[in-house]
Every structure is written in structure tokens, then in C-alpha cells.
């Protein structure tokens, strides 16, 4: 899968190989890192607090001859026992409060935030821009956002549970079927940052990648305009080819006759196919449209009914594009 | 000595084992079964680590990889670590330690073993229907919609739950009713306290899992909407139900490990255990609090922020009794007479690895930090440090410790020590880099990954080979001792608890020639 290879090779200038954290891309990420490193250094301190004495005792009190007895049989010390019960409570209380404050930040969404809608489905993300009237989707989709702007994501899933993860922003949130969840961020650095799915969702869970592209406000405007114009001016077949990649049809359908999860497109148009219920149908424009919009209604014999429904996600122009694209593989 | 009758040679033939109601034989049968499944689960782990050597296809495709990590998790959790110490070592040792002839209900004990075998057969038969690919957590609605043997695997977990309940029930009643004269609660070895606390969780939490799994089966087969939103259900409800059991189950796994380590540290320091009551009560405290922390698996699941806050606070609370145990063990070693026999090496390995597991747990209990780390390799590393670095190290320590009592044989100290070292080194190489890549944003359960993570994955895979070799070496060491080992004395470690002081080299069928009478605590070394 070329698409996948390209995705995995995404050269993201955001990880420096041996640092603990990916490069922060928001003010919140910076605050998060302070807490993380507090935990790390105090954690290291605590570790040494028990491990150094362990090795010290191992060396000092090792049994040098068979009959050596312990130096004492003293088995309690109230002061010590009280201290090591209550001192950790203070430390843990600090961790708790600090972590809770950060958590509040993640989930207190500013009122003026610009809204994007996120839809998770096996195995790609769709991001809709209600204000601009555009949407992007597919494995490797580029999700443009303006810098220094509060962005609110309203997320839902079409099938199973997914999780929307932005490592450079230190945030993630599960994306559920049947309810909406929200997340917000404010990018303060231009660049491309990975979007990952972190709730296991099946075969190609790990291909459910996209790129968040943070741009200056002017560049963002131009990016939106470009996207608006791009689809309308394409030849139907080329639009179909584009959607074939971006809607992740490529994950399950080949164009060269090779078998995969779904039927290959080669020679599909005009052929006669058998449905799971035994009836036979000719693959024509209506058949293709129906099987893109509501594929599990009339599943095809020999293929698992796993294709997501695209009802409400594709325009008539786009569907025509896909039909022309499929037609082209004789 | 071996010419005397003991529980191993008193009766002969297959039926004398298959139908035995002797807790020692049942313990041994459990031990052999659990270790076999450990090897199988470990094999799956090595296969999936090998696949991760490269970001794309290495040896298997995505679907197969997903099945591998599911089987690895399900086998290790349900067939190895949950029954692990209680069913094998607990069964063997608990009545001996209490000065009892057997557990309270020997036939239920045997039934628990066969239920375990039945559960295991059902679990493995799912492989032939089509291996399950949901992850061991069976999250809905993925698990209600994917194909493969989900129902069989879930049924297996359901069945195995009864085995767990039977064992727990037996231990609770045995501890209450069959203690030797003079064996007061505070003269019981701490191993018993740990196993007893575990049994309480087993009895109280397992039914919730059983009900949850039953609901899942009902939804899958009858299409009644419980968890799947398409049918009108709620997928997050499943997570609440699942973790209501499965978090306490984490303590079903770790408490027995702590129980073993309390014995090992005291015996191999030849010193009365420090803070006996504190350790005993901390086991009970852990068992109690363990029921109130399940929501920390769900900080980003969409549960309310208030709920998240409460679960975070309660989670920190459970860190206190665990910390208390660590400090008490340390104080026990202070001014002791420390010997570095193989069991103690495992205990020291436990101490080292469990400290890391515990401290990284604080990261994950901290709300905002968990948001970033949740479902990444950081979590994978954390729970392996606790479950393998903690529980399994203790399990191995326990096996090496009680081996002379079980078999009457001593093993090679050299090979025992070598295997411990290999495991500790291999373990750290495998899992420490996983903290690093998890913090950097490498999600778990990924078949392919961004190329920049490759170096971490390769280090981790090499570590897993060393780790695997270490465990195999340990097992060979034990097996070789059966043939070539020297005969053990009755109390090779100069321990002071009844299973060493009042039994033959290999105990007789009814454990003691005459009823032991207890006049002092279990850690009076002279």
C-alpha cells in the first residue's frame, strides 16, 4: 500500500529522537511538560530513596558465613511507620491537585472557540468546517487550522470507539458512537503535527492517521479557498481517483484485480454480482451509488459486511466522480 | 529420606492424580498448567514483538497481529496471572502454613481445577473458529460487531471466573476455620494475609465480570441492545462494568505477589518482618480501595470531569498501602543477615521493577498527565512492570522458594541466579524504552507505526528475546533438578513457618504427623 508507506514516512519535525516529549505546539503543552518533568524528577528521587538503601543493605548486611544471625530482631518503629504512611500523602496530594488543574484546562472550552466537527470511522477521520463549508477526510488527510485561535472539536463516531490524539498538544479524547464528545486546543506554533487514533478499532487501526497543519491566519484563508475550488474544477474521474485515496476506499478495494477485503474495481462495472441473499444483480450506476451510501443493506456474497456507510458524506458530484473512476477499470 | 511415603509417592497412577483431592497435588497440577499457558502466551508475545521490528509487514498481516496481541493478553491475564500464585502456590502452601490437613472443601478445590481446564479448552478452541481480535478488554461495540470467536473467548473468561471464585471461597473458609491451635490471626504468615485479601476480591468482583460477559454474549447472539448504540445500548457502560471487575483484578494479580515477597524478604534476611501489622492491614486496605478506582481507566472515555476527579483522588489513595509495604520490606533487610539464594534474587528483582511500576503509576493517576499517556506504550510499559516485574517475578521467586518442599530437590543455584539476571536485564531492555516511546506519543495496539519509532521498537524486541530466554532457562533449571538435583533437607532456608518446620522433606498426604500447636509468630529465626 503506497498510501501507507507515505504515511509512515511522514517526516514530522516534531520529535527529537531521544527526548521524553514531542515538541510542544501549544501553551498548554508547555504547562503539561512542567508537571510531567516534576513527576519524573520526584519519581526518580523516590526510586533512589528505596533502591539506594536496598543496594546498601545488600552490601553491608550480606551473609558472610552460614550461621550468621541478623544484628537485631527489632520489628517496629512508630515514628518511621507514621512518616512513611503520611509523608507520601502530601506528595500525592500535590500531584493530584496539579493534575486536576491541568485536566480542568483540557475540558474547559473557551466560549469563543471556532468549531470543527470530527467524525471517526474505520479507518480514517473526516473533519468538517461548518463555517467555511468545506471538509477533509481520509488516511493522511491534511487538517488545516489557523494559529493562535481557539479550536473546538465536536466529535462522534460512525461505527466503533475511536480516540482523537494530538501528541504535540498533549490531549486526547475518545470518539464514541451514539454521543458527542468535545476537545479544544489553541496552537501557538506553525507546522505539521500528527493526529493518531488511540482506541483500538480493528484491522487498520494504526493507519488511522492524519496531519494537523497549523498555518498563519492568511495562509489558512488561502488554504480554505484552494480547497473550495479544487474539487469543482476536477474531471469526474480525477475527482473519483482523489476520493478513492482520501475516503480510504484503497484500504479494501484494489484496482488491479487482486483480492482484498472488498471486491476489486477491475472489471466490476457492468458485471453481474451475487448478493448474500442469493439474488443476482448487474453492477450499474444505481448499484454502485447504493453500495457506497448504504453498503450493508444488501451485502455482496463472499465479502464481510464491514464497509462503512457514506450516506450524507458525499455530494452528488463526488458520487459521480467515484462511478466514473470505477468505470475506468475495465 | 525419599524412601518414606509422601504425597508424591503415596498413591500411583494417572487416576490418583486426576481424581486427587490433596491440595498439594492440585497445586502442582495448577502449576504445570499455568506454566504451559505462560509459555504459549509468551510465544505470542515474541511473535508480535518480532512483527514490530519494522513499521510495515514483517512476518504477519494486520489482522493476524491484532489476534496475536489479543491472545497474548487474554491468555496471560485469564489463564496465567489471575489464577497464578493463589491457585498454584496458594493451594500448595496455605493449608501447610496454617497447620491444616487440607483446604476446607477439597472436592470444590478439585472442581476448580477442572473448571479451569474447561475454560482453557474453550479459550483455545476459539482459535479454530477464527481467532479473536478485540484485545483482552473486549470493548464494545467493536467486540459485538467483529467476526471471530468472541463468544467462545468470552465464555471461557466466564467459566474461568468460577474457578477463581471456588479457589477464593476455599481459602477464606480455610483461613477462618482450619487454623492450627494457637495460630491466631497475627501469628499467620503474611503470605496468608495477602492470599486472604485476594480471595475476598475474587469472591466479590468476579461475579460482576461474569454478568458483564453474559450481557455481551446476549447482545452478540440475540441482538438485544445493551452496549451497542446501533441497538440502543451504551458502549461506555461496558467499560464501567468491565473495569469494576478488572481493576480489582489487578490486585488479584499483585497482592499474591506482595504476599510471596513478604515471606522471601524475611526468610532470606533471617529477620522478623518489619511492621507485620502494617503489611497485613495494607493488604486489606488495598483490597478495599481496589473496588473504588476503576474509573481511572476511563479518564478520556467521556465520563464527567467530576467523576474523573474522584477516581483520580481514590487512585492516589491506593498508592499509600503499596508504598508502606515497600518501606517495611526495606526496613526488614536493614541489619538482617541477607543471603542471595535464587528466591531472594527474584524478590530483589521484584523490588527493583515494582518500584518503577509503582512510580509510573503515579504519572497515570495524575489526571492531565494520563490524558496524554492513556493508551500509549507508557501504559503498556507501566502494567508490564507491575504484572511481570511485580507479580511474575514474585511468582518465580515463590516457585524457587517452595520447590524443595514440593519436589524434595535442590536446583542449581548458578543457573537459578543466571536466569534471574537474564530476566531482569531482558525485562528492562524490553519495557524501559516503551516508557520513552509512549511519552512521545506511540499508541498501543499499533500494527504499523511512524518510522521515527523504529529504533525503540527494535531495542524492545531484542530485549524480549533475552527475557524469553531467561524464563526458559529458569524453567529448564527447575526441570533438570528433578533428575539431577541433590536431595533437599527439610528446611533448607532456615525458615520459621509451619510448612518448613513441622513437615517431612516432602510432606505426607495429610501434611503433618501430628497436629502442630503454634506458640509464636512465623518469623522467629534462631
Amino acid at each position: 500500500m503506497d498510501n501507507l508507506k507515505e504515511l509512515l514516512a511522514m517526516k514530522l519535525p516534531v520529535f527529537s529522537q531521544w527526548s521524553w516529549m514531542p515538541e510542544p505546539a501549544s501553551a498548554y503543552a508547555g504547562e503539561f511538560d512542567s508537571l510531567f518533568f516534576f513527576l519524573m524528577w520526584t519519581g526518580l528521587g523516590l526510586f533512589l530513596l528505596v533502591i539506594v538503601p536496598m543496594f546498601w543493605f545488600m552490601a553491608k548486611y550480606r551473609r558472610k558465613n552460614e550461621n550468621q544471625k541478623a544484628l537485631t530482631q527489632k520489628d517496629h518503629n512508630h515514628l518511621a511507620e507514621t512518616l512513611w504512611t503520611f509523608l507520601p500523602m502530601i506528595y500525592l496530594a500535590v500531584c493530584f491537585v496539579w493534575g486536576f488543574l491541568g485536566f480542568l484546562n483540557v475540558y474547559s472550552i473557551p466560549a469563543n472557540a471556532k468549531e470543527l466537527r470530527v467524525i471517526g470511522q474505520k479507518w480514517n477521520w473526516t473533519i468538517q468546517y461548518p463555517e467555511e463549508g468545506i471538509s477533509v477526510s481520509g488516511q493522511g488527510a491534511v487538517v488545516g487550522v489557523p494559529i493562535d485561535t481557539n479550536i473546538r472539536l465536536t466529535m462522534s463516531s460512525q461505527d466503533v470507539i475511536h480516540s482523537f490524539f494530538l501528541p504535540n498538544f498533549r490531549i486526547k479524547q475518545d470518539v464514541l458512537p451514539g454521543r458527542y464528545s468535545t476537545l479544544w486546543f489553541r496552537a501557538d506554533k506553525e507546522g505539521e503535527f500528527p493526529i493518531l487514533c488511540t482506541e483500538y478499532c480493528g484491522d487498520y487501526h494504526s493507519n488511522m492517521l492524519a496531519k494537523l497543519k497549523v498555518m498563519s491566519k492568511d495562509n489558512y484563508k488561502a488554504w480554505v479557498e484552494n480547497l473550495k475550488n479544487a474539487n469543482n474544477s476536477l474531471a469526474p474521474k480525477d475527482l473519483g481517483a482523489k476520493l478513492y485515496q482520501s475516503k480510504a476506499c484503497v484500504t479494501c478495494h484494489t484496482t488491479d484485480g487482486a483480492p482484498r477485503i472488498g471486491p476489486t474495481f477491475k472489471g466490476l462495472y457492468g458485471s453481474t454480482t451475487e448478493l448474500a441473499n442469493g439474488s443476482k444483480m448487474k453492477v450499474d450506476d444505481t448499484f454502485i451509488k447504493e453500495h457506497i451510501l448504504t453498503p450493508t443493506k444488501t451485502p455482496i456474497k463472499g465479502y464481510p459486511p464491514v464497509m462503512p456507510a457514506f450516506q450524507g458524506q458525499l455530494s452528488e458530484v463526488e458520487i459521480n466522480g467515484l462511478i466514473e473512476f470505477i468505470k475506468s477499470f475495465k | 529420606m525419599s524412601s518414606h511415603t509422601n504425597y508424591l509417592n503415596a498413591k500411583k497412577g494417572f487416576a490418583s492424580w486426576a481424581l486427587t483431592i490433596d491440595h498439594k497435588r492440585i497445586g502442582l497440577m495448577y502449576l504445570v498448567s499455568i506454566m504451559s499457558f505462560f509459555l504459549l502466551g509468551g510465544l505470542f508475545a515474541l511473535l508480535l514483538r518480532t512483527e514490530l521490528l519494522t513499521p510495515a509487514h514483517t512476518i504477519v498481516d494486520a489482522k493476524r497481529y491484532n489476534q496475536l496481541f489479543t491472545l497474548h493478553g487474554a491468555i496471560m491475564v485469564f489463564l496465567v496471572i489471575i489464577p497464578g500464585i493463589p491457585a498454584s502456590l496458594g493451594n500448595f502452601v496455605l493449608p501447610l502454613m496454617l497447620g491444616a490437613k487440607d483446604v476446607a472443601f477439597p472436592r470444590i478445590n478439585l472442581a476448580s481445577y477442572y473448571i479451569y481446564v474447561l475454560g482453557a479448552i474453550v479459550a483455545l478452541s476459539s482459535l479454530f473458529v477464527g481467532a479473536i481480535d478485540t484485545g483482552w478488554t473486549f470493548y464494545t461495540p467493536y467486540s459485538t460487531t467483529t467476526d471471530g470467536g468472541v463468544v467462545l473467548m468470552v465464555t471461557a473468561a466466564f467459566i474461568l471466573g468460577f474457578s477463581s471464585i471456588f479457589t477464593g471461597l476455599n481459602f477464606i473458609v480455610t483461613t477462618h476455620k482450619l487454623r492450627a491451635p494457637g495460630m491466631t490471626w497475627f501469628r499467620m504468615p503474611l503470605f496468608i494475609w495477602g492470599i486472604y485479601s485476594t480471595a475476598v476480591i475474587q469472591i466479590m468482583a468476579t461475579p460482576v465480570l461474569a454478568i458483564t460477559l453474559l450481557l455481551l454474549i446476549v447482545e452478540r447472539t440475540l441482538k438485544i441492545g445493551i452496549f451497542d448504540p446501533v441497538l440502543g445500548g451504551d458502549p461506555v457502560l461496558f467499560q464501567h462494568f468491565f473495569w469494576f471487575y478488572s481493576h480489582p483484578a489487578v490486585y488479584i494479580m499483585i497482592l499474591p505477589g506482595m504476599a510471596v515477597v513478604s515471606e522471601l524478604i524475611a526468610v532470606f534476611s533471617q529477620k522478623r518482618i518489619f511492621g507485620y501489622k502494617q503489611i497485613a492491614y495494607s493488604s486489606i486496605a488495598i483490597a478495599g480501595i481496589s473496588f473504588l478506582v476503576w474509573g481511572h481507566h476511563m479518564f478520556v472515555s467521556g465520563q464527567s470531569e467530576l467523576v474523573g476527579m474522584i477516581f483520580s483522588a481514590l487512585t492516589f489513595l491506593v498508592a499509600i498501602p503499596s508504598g508502606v509495604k515497600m518501606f517495611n520490606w526495606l526496613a526488614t533487610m536493614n541489619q538482617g543477615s541477607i543471603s542471595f539464594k535464587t528466591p531472594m534474587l527474584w524478590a530483589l528483582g521484584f523490588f527493583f521493577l515494582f518500584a518503577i511500576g509503582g512510580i509510573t503509576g503515579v504519572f497515570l493517576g495524575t489526571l492531565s498527565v494520563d490524558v496524554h499517556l492513556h493508551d500509549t506504550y507508557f501504559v503498556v510499559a507501566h502494567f508490564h512492570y507491575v504484572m511481570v516485574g511485580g507479580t511474575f517475578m514474585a511468582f518465580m521467586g515463590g516457585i524457587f522458594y517452595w520447590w524443595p518442599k514440593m519436589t524434595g530437590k535442590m536446583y542449581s543455584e548458578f543457573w537459578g541466579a543466571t536466569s534471574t539476571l537474564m530476566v531482569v536485564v531482558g525485562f528492562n531492555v524490553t519495557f524501559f524504552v516503551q516508557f520513552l516511546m509512549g511519552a512521545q506519543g506511540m499508541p498501543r495496539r499499533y500494527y504499523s507505526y511512524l518510522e521515527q519509532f523504529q529504533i525503540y521498537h527494535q531495542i524492545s524486541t531484542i530485549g524480549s528475546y533475552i527475557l524469553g530466554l531467561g524464563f526458559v532457562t529458569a524453567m529448564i533449571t527447575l526441570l533438570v533438578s528433578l533428575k539431577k538435583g541433590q536431595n533437599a533437607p527439610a528446611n533448607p532456608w532456615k525458615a520459621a513457618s509451619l510448612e518448613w518446620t513441622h513437615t517431612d522433606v516432602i510432606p505426607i498426604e495429610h501434611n503433618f504427623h501430628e497436629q502442630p500447636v503454634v506458640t509464636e509468630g512465623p518469623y522467629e529465626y534462631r
Side-chain angles (χ1 to χ4, degrees):
Chain A
M1 258 183 283
D2 294 341
N3 188 27
L4 171 62
K5 261 196 159 160
E6 202 179 296
L7 275 176
L8 297 178
M10 269 206 264
K11 278 281 171 264
L12 298 162
V14 292
F15 296 97
S16 55
Q17 190 73 61
W18 295 104
S19 74
W20 274 94
M21 281 286 146
E23 187 186 313
S26 67
Y28 169 73
E31 291 164 29
F32 173 98
D33 289 1
S34 323
L35 173 54
F36 183 87
F37 286 109
F38 167 79
L39 290 175
M40 203 172 83
W41 291 116
T42 51
L44 182 66
L46 280 172
F47 179 69
L48 294 177
L49 190 73
V50 294
I51 291 305
V52 170
M54 181 183 96
F55 280 110
W56 172 251
F57 296 155
M58 282 165 64
K60 188 160 182 210
Y61 302 116
R62 70 179 187 281
R63 198 178 298 170
K64 292 172 193 106
N65 66 69
E66 269 307 296
N67 298 315
Q68 183 179 327
K69 302 272 178 254
L71 295 175
T72 167
Q73 289 295 340
K74 192 169 161 42
D75 63 0
H76 62 274
N77 178 329
H78 282 297
L79 180 64
E81 288 177 58
T82 311
L83 284 180
W84 69 48
T85 309
F86 289 99
L87 283 184
M89 283 189 192
I90 298 170
Y91 170 66
L92 294 173
V94 172
C95 299
F96 166 71
V97 172
W98 197 340
F100 180 55
L101 294 177
F103 189 68
L104 281 184
N105 189 0
V106 173
Y107 291 99
S108 310
I109 302 174
N112 62 353
K114 170 187 180 64
E115 186 176 50
L116 305 187
R117 301 193 74 94
V118 174
I119 299 153
Q121 67 179 64
K122 293 177 188 169
W123 290 279
N124 64 77
W125 299 103
T126 299
I127 287 85
Q128 297 173 311
Y129 295 69
E131 238 171 86
E132 288 83 351
I134 54 170
S135 87
V136 295
S137 69
Q139 291 174 1
V142 177
V143 182
V145 291
I147 197 169
D148 292 330
T149 308
N150 296 329
I151 309 273
R152 168 199 168 103
L153 305 170
T154 303
M155 311 191 288
S156 59
S157 165
Q158 172 133 325
D159 38 47
V160 299
I161 302 176
H162 303 279
S163 191
F164 193 88
F165 180 30
L166 286 167
N168 303 87
F169 297 79
R170 318 287 190 258
I171 53 174
K172 75 162 66 73
Q173 173 66 46
D174 283 5
V175 177
L176 303 154
R179 70 165 81 166
Y180 293 95
S181 53
T182 50
L183 197 62
W184 82 279
F185 62 91
R186 181 192 176 94
D188 64 4
K189 193 167 278 176
E190 289 184 34
E192 291 188 344
F193 307 102
I195 298 170
L196 305 157
C197 177
T198 45
E199 184 62 65
Y200 172 69
C201 59
D203 291 7
Y204 297 101
H205 168 50
S206 57
N207 294 0
M208 200 163 156
L209 306 172
K211 266 187 247 189
L212 188 81
K213 187 170 182 182
V214 180
M215 291 173 272
S216 71
K217 285 176 179 163
D218 289 340
N219 284 351
Y220 174 71
K221 270 192 193 129
W223 178 81
V224 171
E225 282 313 307
N226 243 333
L227 202 68
K228 274 185 177 166
N229 297 332
N231 286 357
N232 298 338
S233 57
L234 281 176
K237 195 184 123 187
D238 295 340
L239 175 60
K242 212 178 131 189
L243 290 167
Y244 174 67
Q245 292 291 341
S246 70
K247 295 290 177 188
C249 317
V250 61
T251 317
C252 304
H253 300 279
T254 64
T255 57
D256 57 3
R260 208 174 278 164
I261 296 170
T264 178
F265 288 167
K266 189 175 170 68
L268 181 65
Y269 190 86
S271 67
T272 305
T273 192
E274 192 179 345
L275 299 182
N277 64 17
S279 63
K280 291 198 160 87
M281 275 183 92
K282 194 169 154 57
V283 179
D284 58 10
D285 294 43
T286 311
F287 179 95
I288 293 179
K289 181 175 176 181
E290 271 178 7
H291 278 81
I292 291 173
L293 297 185
T294 53
T296 47
K297 239 184 194 168
T298 48
I300 298 169
K301 193 172 179 182
Y303 297 97
V306 294
M307 178 161 155
F310 286 90
Q311 184 89 52
Q313 293 186 43
L314 293 169
S315 68
E316 203 56 32
V317 173
E318 289 171 322
I319 295 168
N320 284 346
L322 279 167
I323 293 172
E324 288 303 322
F325 176 70
I326 293 170
K327 236 183 195 175
S328 70
F329 297 99
K330 298 252 160 40
Chain B
M1 291 288 256
S2 59
S3 61
H4 292 147
T5 39
N6 58 49
Y7 82 100
L8 289 173
N9 62 17
K11 296 197 179 91
K12 290 204 161 43
F14 179 75
S16 79
W17 281 87
L19 299 176
T20 184
I21 48 171
D22 183 341
H23 66 98
K24 300 181 288 303
R25 285 189 167 198
I26 295 171
L28 274 195
M29 291 180 343
Y30 260 121
L31 184 62
V32 171
S33 314
I34 287 166
M35 281 299 151
S36 310
F37 289 118
F38 173 69
L39 290 177
L40 182 66
L43 178 69
F44 288 140
L46 294 181
L47 286 175
L48 72 88
R49 278 294 350 148
T50 304
E51 168 53 43
L52 290 171
L53 277 171
T54 68
H57 185 286
T58 314
I59 51 168
V60 294
D61 62 11
K63 183 141 192 98
R64 189 71 65 204
Y65 170 82
N66 295 339
Q67 293 167 343
L68 280 174
F69 77 66
T70 301
L71 290 167
H72 166 68
I75 288 175
M76 288 303 202
V77 170
F78 294 114
L79 291 174
V80 179
I81 297 194
I82 286 182
I85 295 175
S88 62
L89 298 179
N91 247 324
F92 188 91
V93 175
L94 181 127
L96 287 169
M97 270 187 169
L98 288 173
K101 283 182 182 170
D102 205 318
V103 290
F105 308 116
R107 282 178 185 81
I108 290 185
N109 201 19
L110 181 65
S112 95
Y113 177 73
Y114 281 108
I115 292 171
Y116 172 82
V117 172
L118 177 69
I121 291 171
V122 175
L124 293 184
S125 66
S126 74
L127 289 174
F128 299 99
V129 181
I132 176 174
D133 71 337
T134 61
W136 78 274
T137 45
F138 311 122
Y139 269 21
T140 55
Y142 188 77
S143 59
T144 51
T145 52
T146 183
D147 50 1
V150 177
V151 170
L152 274 176
M153 185 56 94
V154 168
T155 308
F158 179 83
I159 295 170
L160 289 166
F162 284 93
S163 156
S164 194
I165 291 172
F166 281 8
T167 303
L169 186 74
N170 237 327
F171 288 173
I172 289 177
V173 178
T174 309
T175 307
H176 276 274
K177 305 305 287 183
L178 298 184
R179 301 194 308 277
M183 176 68 83
T184 61
W185 283 83
F186 293 112
R187 281 183 187 162
M188 296 194 310
L190 286 167
F191 180 75
I192 307 274
W193 278 94
I195 293 289
Y196 179 86
S197 311
T198 309
V200 171
I201 310 178
Q202 282 176 317
I203 295 240
M204 289 174 67
T206 314
V208 179
L209 179 73
I211 293 163
T212 311
L213 297 178
L214 207 57
L215 289 175
L216 180 61
I217 294 171
V218 165
E219 174 161 298
R220 245 187 100 97
T221 52
L222 305 177
K223 303 288 172 210
I224 294 172
I226 298 158
F227 305 123
D228 186 350
V230 172
L231 303 171
D234 180 352
V236 180
L237 181 67
F238 177 84
Q239 296 179 24
H240 279 291
F241 281 177
F242 183 82
W243 289 115
F244 186 86
Y245 164 76
S246 294
H247 198 79
V250 169
Y251 296 96
I252 293 180
M253 305 181 214
I254 190 66
L255 273 172
M258 294 167 158
V260 171
V261 168
S262 295
E263 297 302 309
L264 299 182
I265 300 262
V267 170
F268 291 95
S269 302
Q270 285 291 299
K271 186 159 162 269
R272 217 182 284 155
I273 192 105
F274 198 91
Y276 175 97
K277 284 195 179 176
Q278 222 187 3
I279 296 181
Y281 288 139
S282 67
S283 293
I284 300 289
I286 288 173
I289 303 170
S290 76
F291 282 95
L292 306 173
V293 300
W294 79 89
H296 71 212
H297 294 269
M298 301 167 60
F299 287 154
V300 300
S301 72
Q303 72 183 5
S304 81
E305 290 84 67
L306 177 67
V307 173
M309 182 194 89
I310 293 168
F311 278 120
S312 170
L314 289 166
T315 300
F316 281 122
L317 221 49
V318 90
I320 308 267
S322 307
V324 160
K325 285 181 196 276
M326 297 288 282
F327 290 121
N328 278 308
W329 292 328
L330 208 52
T332 305
M333 287 170 64
N334 183 23
Q335 300 191 311
S337 163
I338 302 172
S339 120
F340 299 108
K341 296 280 196 239
T342 305
M344 183 61 166
L345 295 179
W346 288 104
L348 294 169
F350 167 100
F351 201 86
F352 187 88
L353 300 176
F354 185 71
I356 298 175
I359 288 163
T360 49
V362 174
F363 285 63
L364 296 172
T366 304
L367 280 163
S368 63
V369 177
D370 182 70
V371 170
H372 177 66
L373 298 177
H374 180 78
D375 268 339
T376 67
Y377 267 78
F378 194 96
V379 176
V380 177
H382 161 72
F383 71 71
H384 279 92
Y385 266 88
V386 177
M387 301 286 87
V388 183
T391 305
F392 217 84
M393 294 293 288
F395 192 11
M396 296 302 289
I399 295 171
F400 275 87
Y401 176 56
W402 281 297
W403 190 256
K405 191 52 59 189
M406 292 174 174
T407 66
K409 295 291 182 184
M410 301 302 289
Y411 40 78
S412 154
E413 279 293 334
F414 172 79
W415 284 109
T418 306
S419 67
T420 318
L421 190 69
M422 282 163 78
V423 167
V424 172
V425 170
F427 183 87
N428 280 303
V429 174
T430 309
F431 291 105
F432 199 82
V433 283
Q434 295 191 1
F435 284 126
L436 209 64
M437 68 170 141
Q440 286 214 0
M442 171 73 217
R444 65 192 283 205
R445 297 176 170 176
Y446 260 33
Y447 170 69
S448 49
Y449 49 82
L450 301 180
E451 280 171 3
Q452 58 219 9
F453 290 119
Q454 187 169 8
I455 180 74
Y456 301 108
H457 277 293
Q458 291 180 335
I459 293 171
S460 184
T461 301
I462 291 166
S464 71
Y465 298 152
I466 304 173
L467 181 59
L469 206 60
F471 277 123
V472 170
T473 307
M475 286 182 203
I476 292 176
T477 305
L478 290 173
L479 293 177
V480 166
S481 80
L482 292 177
K483 277 262 175 248
K484 301 199 168 160
Q486 295 189 340
N487 290 332
N491 187 0
W493 319 119
K494 297 186 199 157
S497 44
L498 294 182
E499 84 273 26
W500 297 106
T501 53
H502 282 66
T503 59
D504 289 353
V505 172
I506 305 174
I508 56 170
E509 268 189 295
H510 293 294
N511 296 348
F512 305 99
H513 291 287
E514 51 199 67
Q515 174 66 57
V517 177
V518 181
T519 54
E520 59 183 14
Y523 304 111
E524 302 300 328
Y525 303 107
R526 300 202 170 81

